[in-house]
Amino acid sequence: MATIQGNDREASADKEQLAAVRIAVDEVDDQIVTLIARRERLIRIAGTLKGDDAEVRAPGRVERVIEHVRDAAEKKDIDPDIVESTYRAMISGFIELELKVHKENS
């Protein structure tokens, strides 16, 4: 009987820990969204300053950003592949936004 109660306590503790982790993840997500909003504001400004669509797409710049964030990830001992895939998706979305902004301001 003690074993069953012990398992129940462990399961309850696991659920409480999982709930705490989820709250922390939500807090991190809020911080990330705030940073994405800041990045969006900067991208909108950049979109008004570039001369043409090729300058907006800037594949060389994209690769420099990817190299930078991969290096930053490695220094922080996190998976650079996850960081790269996240950034590639984010950059793709921001390029579309910047193309729109550039077109509106041309």
Side-chain angles (χ1 to χ4, degrees):
M1 192 73 159
T3 304
I4 293 172
Q5 289 176 343
N7 288 340
D8 288 346
R9 274 181 275 181
E10 287 177 22
S12 178
D14 288 347
K15 287 180 182 179
E16 289 175 19
Q17 188 175 12
L18 179 58
V21 167
R22 286 179 174 162
I23 289 168
V25 168
D26 290 345
E27 290 169 355
V28 169
D29 287 342
D30 288 343
Q31 293 170 4
I32 290 169
V33 170
T34 298
L35 292 172
I36 290 172
R38 181 177 177 203
R39 195 177 203 281
E40 180 181 328
R41 287 189 299 274
L42 295 168
I43 293 301
R44 286 180 178 278
I45 293 168
T48 67
L49 301 172
K50 295 183 180 175
D52 58 25
D53 288 2
E55 198 174 353
V56 170
R57 286 189 174 87
R61 169 70 177 145
V62 170
E63 292 311 311
R64 286 190 300 277
V65 169
I66 296 301
E67 183 180 332
H68 172 77
V69 298
R70 284 186 67 88
D71 288 344
E74 288 172 4
K75 288 176 185 169
K76 295 182 185 304
D77 198 29
I78 60 175
D79 188 333
D81 293 335
I82 292 172
V83 171
E84 179 177 345
S85 64
T86 301
Y87 262 80
R88 286 199 185 275
M90 182 174 64
I91 289 170
S92 177
F94 277 124
I95 287 172
E96 292 305 313
L97 172 65
E98 194 173 350
L99 285 167
K100 179 181 169 189
V101 168
H102 175 72
K103 183 177 181 179
E104 291 170 354
N105 288 283
S106 294

